[in-house]
């Protein structure tokens, strides 16, 4: 009897090692800085500052931890309103709840990022009502950056703090500048599926030195600088480790190559799938260059004759991971009853969107297999 084993699983966006990680981890081990802080961590923070063209950085355990510290330092507290996109990941919203604040969700624009026209109009109305938010969070979706100059101008006009969730957009640019700049705080993520990883981790950046000094203090349990353990406020155990920073340094060296490879993957999907009926792609706004973290396609069932879920299941049957877009926060049971400004476009993107395998170590053979299966699912559905 002949056995037919499944091909190895093709993941959505798995880690891709450069070979330098083991060398830098070895250096960290030899130095005996295996506790949270050390030379690798210091160097990683300086390299992130240079890459992001920002003045101050603290490396942390996750992007969610970075967002939590940002809101804490901005003074967001019980009952404060924080505006945020509905089309995002839970970790980009949960810190609002950690601070006992009130999330208000906003629909996306055609590029999947928060609709700044909607934000602009609602800021005017909120000012008249005396209900301006304490902060606005803008999130770069699947590598597509928000128009930060406009977001900054809107926030400055109304005295609202601005936080950029750039967790998915490291390596993206907006008019030649790194995505996420101009905010009071910028958040990065190095989760295992991001364009570079520290196995899990994040960073908080700002032009305000005092803000980052406070974040570093809070991230290490808010211990006062005295010989014994003295605490005037409650902090967190949020610091990235020196060992993980070594991984991050090796990964950061390869960022430009990773972005280039993501663009090749995206171009191949466009070439292979754009002629299919009812299939379209998430596009960059003018002036932006996305890192193409994930290649996102939309499948209009009225035209294609199949749904995005049909295609996802067809790929899964061949041990290939694909994933729906983020389920909008205003549809999440945990946020039932939350205030939402619009939402129809986000709901449509959730229903019709699908992230395709985009790992930078994926071979051309692997990608052509994905393309063939998508074509078959659309043109010859079971």
């Amino acid at each position: 009897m002949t056995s037919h084993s499944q091909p190895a699983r093709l993941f959505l966006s798995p880690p891709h090692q450069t070979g330098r990680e083991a060398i830098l981890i070895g250096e960290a081990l030899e130095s005996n800085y295996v506790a949270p802080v050390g030379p690798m961590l210091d160097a990683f923070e300086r390299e992130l500052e240079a890459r992001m063209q920002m003045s101050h950085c603290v490396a942390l355990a996750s992007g969610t931890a970075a967002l939590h510290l940002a809101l804490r330092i901005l003074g967001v507290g019980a009952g404060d309103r924080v505006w945020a996109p509905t089309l995002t990941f839970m970790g980009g919203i949960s810190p609002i709840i950690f601070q006992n604040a009130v999330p208000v969700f906003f629909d996306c624009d055609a590029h999947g990022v928060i609709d700044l026209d909607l934000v602009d109009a609602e800021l005017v109305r909120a000012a008249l009502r005396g209900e301006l938010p304490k902060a606005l969070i803008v999130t770069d979706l699947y590598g597509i950056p928000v128009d930060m100059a406009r977001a900054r101008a809107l926030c400055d006009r109304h005295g609202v703090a601005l936080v950029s969730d750039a967790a998915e957009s490291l390596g993206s640019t907006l008019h030649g500048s790194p995505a996420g700049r101009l905010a009071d705080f910028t958040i990065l993520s190095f989760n295992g599926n991001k364009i570079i990883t520290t196995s899990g981790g994040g960073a908080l950046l700002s032009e305000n030195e005092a803000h980052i000094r406070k974040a570093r203090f809070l991230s290490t349990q808010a211990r006062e600088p005295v010989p014994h353990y003295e605490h005037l406020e409650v902090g967190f155990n949020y610091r990235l480790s020196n060992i993980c920073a070594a991984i991050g340094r090796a990964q950061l060296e390869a960022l430009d190559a990773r972005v280039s490879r993501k663009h090749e993957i995206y171009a191949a999907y466009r070439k292979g799938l754009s002629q299919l009926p009812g299939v379209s792609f998430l596009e960059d706004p003018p002036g932006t260059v996305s890192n193409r973290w994930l290649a996102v396609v939309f499948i209009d069932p009225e035209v294609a004759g199949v749904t995005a879920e049909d295609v996802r299941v067809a790929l899964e049957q061949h041990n290939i991971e694909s994933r729906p877009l983020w389920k909008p926060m205003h549809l999440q049971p945990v946020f039932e009853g939350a205030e939402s400004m619009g939402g129809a476009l986000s709901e449509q993107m959730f229903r019709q969107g699908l992230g395709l395998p985009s790992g930078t170590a994926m071979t051309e053979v692997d990608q052509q297999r994905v393309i063939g299966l998508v074509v078959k699912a659309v043109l010859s559905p079971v």
Side-chain angles (χ1 to χ4, degrees):
M1 180 181 293
T2 304
S3 79
H4 298 281
S5 60
Q6 277 269 54
R9 183 146 179 85
L10 184 58
F11 290 100
L12 189 69
S13 183
H16 182 186
Q17 294 188 53
T18 68
R20 285 265 296 155
E21 290 84 357
I23 296 170
L24 293 180
I25 290 171
E27 291 179 12
L29 292 173
E30 287 174 12
S31 73
N32 204 35
Y33 279 101
V34 296
V37 297
M40 287 292 173
L41 187 59
D42 294 339
F44 187 43
E45 290 172 345
R46 301 296 81 78
E47 288 159 6
L48 287 171
E49 290 166 358
R51 181 72 203 201
M52 292 295 292
Q53 298 176 19
M54 296 183 70
S55 301
H56 307 286
C57 173
V58 57
L60 300 163
S62 68
T64 304
L67 180 55
H68 186 197
L69 291 179
L71 296 183
R72 168 79 174 262
I73 293 164
L74 289 171
V76 171
D80 287 332
R81 296 157 74 83
V82 177
W83 292 5
T86 189
L87 191 62
T88 189
F89 172 61
M90 182 65 174
I93 299 297
S94 55
I96 300 173
I97 307 303
F98 298 166
Q99 290 301 108
N100 296 308
V102 179
V104 179
F105 300 120
F106 281 74
D107 204 357
C108 66
D109 64 14
H111 304 288
V113 297
I114 194 167
D115 186 340
L116 291 178
D117 289 340
L118 193 58
V119 171
D120 188 0
E122 189 56 29
L123 279 170
V124 173
R125 288 190 285 266
L128 292 173
R129 297 192 306 265
E131 294 181 350
L132 283 168
K134 186 80 169 184
L136 169 68
I137 300 171
V138 295
T139 303
D140 299 337
L141 194 81
Y142 298 108
I144 293 179
V146 172
D147 182 345
M148 290 302 294
R150 186 178 181 199
R152 180 77 269 172
L154 291 176
C155 286
D156 286 349
R157 189 179 306 152
H158 295 278
V160 174
L162 177 61
V163 179
S164 171
D165 181 351
E168 300 173 9
S169 63
L170 182 61
S172 300
T173 60
L174 176 62
H175 302 300
S177 293
R181 294 179 72 245
L182 304 182
D184 295 292
F185 284 108
T186 300
I187 282 88
L188 299 178
S189 171
F190 310 120
N191 188 37
N193 64 5
K194 295 300 189 292
I195 194 164
I196 70 166
T197 186
T198 57
S199 79
L204 184 64
L205 296 103
S206 178
E207 295 301 329
N208 188 315
E209 182 179 6
H211 281 350
I212 296 303
R213 188 165 58 248
K214 180 72 170 180
R216 188 172 282 110
F217 170 72
L218 288 172
S219 72
T220 50
Q221 304 287 16
R223 180 188 176 186
E224 295 296 323
V226 295
H228 59 276
Y229 280 83
E230 182 86 6
H231 302 275
L232 302 180
E233 56 187 309
V234 175
F236 310 94
N237 185 17
Y238 277 174
R239 204 74 161 92
L240 187 72
S241 81
N242 195 61
I243 300 296
C244 289
I247 299 171
R249 294 188 68 198
Q251 291 273 299
L252 190 59
E253 292 172 356
L255 179 57
D256 289 333
R258 296 287 183 264
V259 172
S260 178
R261 179 63 185 133
K262 292 278 190 182
H263 278 259
E264 292 174 356
I265 291 166
Y266 177 82
Y269 277 132
R270 282 198 67 118
K271 181 179 179 181
L273 301 176
S274 60
Q275 301 307 311
L276 291 175
V279 173
S280 59
F281 285 78
L282 188 62
E283 303 283 1
D284 284 358
T288 70
V289 179
S290 166
N291 65 8
R292 298 293 182 195
W293 173 50
L294 289 185
V296 172
V297 295
F298 296 106
I299 300 169
D300 183 346
E302 299 298 321
V303 180
V306 295
T307 66
E309 177 63 8
D310 292 331
V311 175
R312 187 196 69 78
V313 170
L315 291 172
E316 187 62 43
Q317 289 172 347
H318 291 267
N319 211 20
I320 295 171
E321 182 185 23
S322 59
R323 187 179 295 167
L325 270 63
W326 304 122
K327 182 177 181 179
M329 291 293 112
H330 72 274
L331 298 181
Q332 296 286 355
V334 71
F335 293 125
E336 184 176 1
E339 190 175 356
S340 179
M341 303 297 168
L345 186 52
S346 296
E347 292 175 20
Q348 178 183 325
M349 287 191 174
F350 169 58
R351 289 194 306 269
Q352 298 186 2
L354 191 67
L356 297 177
S358 302
T360 49
M362 180 171 60
T363 67
E364 291 184 21
V365 171
D366 284 335
Q367 189 174 12
Q368 289 304 315
R369 185 160 63 97
V370 176
I371 290 169
L373 288 168
V374 174
V375 169
K376 182 180 178 181
V378 174
L379 297 182
S380 305
V382 176

